[in-house]
Amino acid sequence: MTLHPQAVAALEEWSRGPKVTDPGFGPEDIEAKRAEARALAADEAREPVERAEDLDVDGVPCRVYVPEAGTEAGTEAGTDAGTDPSRLLVFLHGGGFVFGDLETHDGQSRRLANRTGSTVLTVGYRRPPEHRFPAAPDDVDTVLRWVGAHGSGLGLDPRRVVAVGDSAGGNLALVAALRNRGVLAACVLVYPFVDSAMAGASYAADDGGLTRGEAAWYWVQYARDADDLADPDLTPIRSDRLGTLPVTLLQIAEHDVLADEDAELARLIASAGGEVQVTTYPGMIHGFWRHPELFDAAEDALAEVARFVATHV
């Protein structure tokens, strides 16, 4: 399918901003782009939730969102599960590992809580280049251990924990499931960033919302050295443990440069004996999931997440 008209419009809007393709993109530029992203997020409409609270989770900054019961947004999810705050979604935000934080993904965290009727814990993991691999997955491990130790006292069911991540956050959600076998009830991967070799033919695309040059830059920031790039905890598509994953939902954007590696990931999970549900969103590009103001498919994808969670968790 050709690009959806909404994708064409979004690419035109996004082309006005700076591109992260220059290997000399330095610390001051990174901080400026982070500040720009936070400023843009501050202008987004934010849905009400029952409660949003910042937490220090054994040194990892997090924000917990309790869904608003009986909201119209919850009805849009298309599920009869209703609101169940004892179910926890551990949300790992995207941003190429380098960008994104609790503020940039506050709006999506709220939507995720309300659409799924679940409590959401968004993780402010350490980011490169200040903190390179394995700082981020180590932080996620810390959060999961904390949930296991303290979740029951907060009204959460430690048996009903789902890792959810978009883009680089999808990488972290997948790695969390692989490193913490048996801890998660399910996993939701939204166009995950999983192959540092960038071997997929879809990397030739120039209309996907993410370019090959940008992806390469992100991997360079994340890894400490060439050995890290071969580590399955950084490049999880190389893992020999994919068959140990909990039931997994994988959402692919058709025109994303990551589309082929994501399809290959799904094939590998299935061939290893894992249960994986795959949906490709036609005409969509990288980044669509977080922008319902630009893409109707963003709400469709959230509704699918809600149905998946209600069915399996």
Side-chain angles (χ1 to χ4, degrees), residues 47-55 62-69 71 83 85-86 88 106 109-111 113-114 118-122 146 151 153-156:
E47 292 182 2
V49 291
E50 184 69 25
R51 178 168 59 90
E53 178 184 353
D54 288 340
L55 298 175
C62 295
R63 185 171 296 164
V64 65
Y65 300 83
V66 177
E68 192 168 60
T71 61
T83 302
S86 70
L88 178 67
D106 181 75
S109 299
R110 291 167 179 268
R111 288 187 288 270
N114 283 337
S118 307
T119 298
V120 169
L121 185 67
T122 301
W146 182 90
L154 299 174
L156 302 171

Side-chain angles (χ1 to χ4, degrees), residues 73-296:
T75 306
E76 290 172 1
T79 172
D80 296 329
T83 302
D84 186 354
S86 70
R87 181 174 51 212
L88 178 67
L89 309 187
V90 176
F91 179 36
L92 305 164
H93 65 76
F97 306 105
V98 178
F99 304 108
D101 57 26
L102 298 180
E103 301 305 327
T104 61
H105 284 66
D106 181 75
Q108 189 71 343
S109 299
R110 291 167 179 268
R111 288 187 288 270
L112 194 58
N114 283 337
R115 299 299 184 278
T116 65
S118 307
T119 298
V120 169
L121 185 67
T122 301
V123 180
Y125 56 83
R126 287 172 291 171
R127 300 170 297 177
E130 299 93 335
H131 305 282
R132 297 181 187 267
F133 175 84
D138 286 351
D139 284 351
V140 180
D141 288 350
T142 295
V143 170
L144 291 178
R145 285 194 298 269
W146 182 90
V147 169
H150 302 285
S152 296
L154 299 174
L156 302 171
D157 186 344
R159 300 165 302 176
R160 304 176 72 208
V161 180
V162 182
V164 180
D166 64 311
S167 191
N171 174 298
L172 296 175
L174 176 56
V175 170
L178 293 169
R179 288 171 64 154
N180 297 273
R181 182 175 180 177
V183 170
L184 298 172
C187 200
V188 176
L189 311 175
V190 182
Y191 38 71
F193 195 52
V194 294
D195 183 10
S196 63
M198 301 184 296
S202 54
Y203 273 99
D206 59 3
D207 60 356
L210 175 72
T211 68
R212 183 185 182 90
E214 289 169 338
W217 185 87
Y218 288 130
W219 286 120
V220 168
Q221 305 314 303
Y222 188 39
R224 294 168 300 185
D225 52 36
D227 288 342
D228 280 352
L229 292 173
D231 191 322
D233 281 355
L234 183 144
T235 304
I237 199 169
R238 300 185 183 184
S239 176
D240 60 3
R241 295 168 285 159
L242 292 173
T244 70
L245 291 172
V247 59
T248 297
L249 171 64
L250 177 57
Q251 296 182 327
I252 300 173
E254 182 189 27
H255 286 263
D256 192 354
V257 295
L258 307 180
D260 282 356
E261 71 187 56
D262 289 345
E264 176 64 4
L265 173 65
R267 186 191 70 79
L268 290 170
I269 293 171
S271 66
E275 182 179 354
V276 59
Q277 174 182 325
V278 185
T279 301
T280 297
Y281 283 82
M284 287 295 104
I285 59 176
H286 195 84
F288 84 91
W289 186 73
R290 196 164 64 89
H291 294 284
E293 76 281 7
L294 299 176
F295 301 97
D296 294 339

